Structure formats: C-alpha cells, structure tokens
Amino acid sequence: EKTLYYLRHGQTEFNREGIWQGRSDSPLSSLGIQQARAAGEHIRRLGIEVDHVFRSPLGRVAETLKVADPSLAEVAEIVGDLVEMSFGRFDGTPIVGDPCDYPLDYFASIGGERPENAAARTCSALEGIMMRPNCDSVLVAGHGTTGRFFFDSWAAVSRARLDGPLPNGALLTYSFDAKTRSFCCRDIWAPC
C-alpha cells in the first residue's frame, strides 16, 4: 500500500481579499505563511518521510512548499495537470455575493474549465503519479477546488469526512492500492 499526502497551499492575498483566484496567482498572506509553517511542523512532528514531491505550477503552491520545508520545495517536480481550475474571466476579479451561489458548471460559459474536466485531469494526474515506480510515499502540493474534486471522487470509500471547502494549509493523507488503483482518505489535518 502506498501513501499520498495532499497539501493545499496556504491562504493567499486574493483569498483574504475575496478575489476569485483560479489560474491567476497571488502571494501568501501572513496567515498563509503561518499555515504553511504549521503544515511543515505537522509533517516533521509525524515523522513523515516522502520519496517524491510534486506540485502545481502556480507560485502560491511553490511558496507554500518553500515555507513548509525548503528541502521539499527544492526537489518538487512540477506537474501541469495539478493546476487549479480556471474560473474563466472571473480569475483575478472580486467575488460578488456568495461563491457557493455560482454553480460550478457556470464557469465554462465564461471561458473557464468544466468541473468534470478539472476533476478528471486531477484524478488522472494523481493516479499516474502513484503508479510511477518508487513512488511509495508521495507529497503533492496543490489547490482547494481541484483538491476537493479529488476528495469527492473517493469520499464514498474514505474514512475521513470533509464538510465544506478544503481548508488552506490542510494536509490530507490517502492510502493508494495500486492493484485496484483506488484511494482512501484516512486523515485530514488543518492548521488552526
């Protein structure tokens, strides 16, 4: 059995300011830096050792890894399919109203990505990573929406529950069965 640790980036300035992020980028806020530090401390406290590190190409993920553990950031391989879902022309613009009022399939109509496509590419990328030789204990640093899509894909067989969005700085622990190519979320940790 293999293990996947999925780390969501810390809070960004755009998160703090209520701006749709998607593929647009923003540096970590002071809280985001604290969340990344806490995630790194949690990883060290548990004695987690990984043989490979992968990350989204966006800067907020690179910054989170660098704050959490510079040695992990140095060896991280960038995987394009781990990038966040695009919200189309909303990327980088202020959120008006409650973001939950927007159905996810709406964003494709304004130049964004279809949620089923974002979910499929994320799931495929993570399965492909775990099927690589010598990828037995892997850390992946990514995003909230695509991370939530991945969690939802395996929620029915997972032991952990997630109500609401994936918290900034959260670390999810999955077991992976290479024979059945299935994931099971065993634990969700989030900084206070």
Side-chain angles (χ1 to χ4, degrees):
E1 191 169 272
K2 298 181 172 192
T3 303
L4 165 68
Y5 300 97
Y6 186 94
L7 173 65
R8 182 187 177 191
H9 65 79
Q11 182 195 65
T12 66
E13 290 295 335
F14 279 6
N15 294 147
R16 187 181 62 75
E17 295 169 11
I19 293 175
W20 291 104
Q21 199 148 238
R23 302 271 174 89
S24 59
D25 222 345
S26 172
L28 296 184
S29 66
S30 59
L31 176 58
I33 292 169
Q34 291 172 13
Q35 292 167 333
R37 279 192 190 119
E41 289 166 7
H42 178 71
I43 289 167
R44 287 185 291 281
R45 185 171 47 257
L46 292 183
I48 294 172
E49 293 185 17
V50 296
D51 43 47
H52 290 85
V53 182
F54 301 90
R55 70 168 178 87
S56 156
L58 295 177
R60 59 191 182 261
V61 173
E63 185 180 2
T64 296
L65 266 180
K66 188 174 181 180
V67 171
D69 188 326
S71 66
L72 294 176
E74 287 176 16
V75 299
E77 179 182 329
I78 297 171
V79 177
D81 280 343
L82 294 175
V83 72
E84 180 61 292
M85 177 177 155
S86 170
F87 297 106
R89 70 172 185 254
F90 278 10
D91 282 1
T93 66
I95 297 170
V96 177
D98 185 343
C100 296
D101 289 343
Y102 294 86
L104 283 173
D105 57 0
Y106 169 76
F107 300 105
S109 72
I110 59 167
E113 187 174 15
R114 296 195 170 286
E116 60 271 20
N117 293 350
R121 73 169 161 76
T122 302
C123 289
S124 177
L126 292 172
E127 180 184 320
I129 285 168
M130 296 311 292
M131 291 302 294
R132 290 186 186 189
N134 304 314
C135 279
D136 296 317
S137 180
V138 171
L139 175 67
V140 170
H143 301 277
T145 304
T146 50
R148 179 65 206 228
F149 288 160
F150 179 70
F151 176 86
D152 289 347
S153 297
W154 297 101
V157 295
S158 290
R159 296 194 307 244
R161 289 182 38 105
L162 180 60
D163 297 318
L166 186 59
N168 287 103
L171 182 71
L172 288 74
T173 304
Y174 292 88
S175 55
F176 177 72
D177 184 328
K179 289 180 186 170
T180 60
R181 294 183 178 220
S182 61
F183 291 88
C184 173
C185 185
R186 298 187 323 240
D187 184 66
I188 299 171
W189 172 90
C192 298

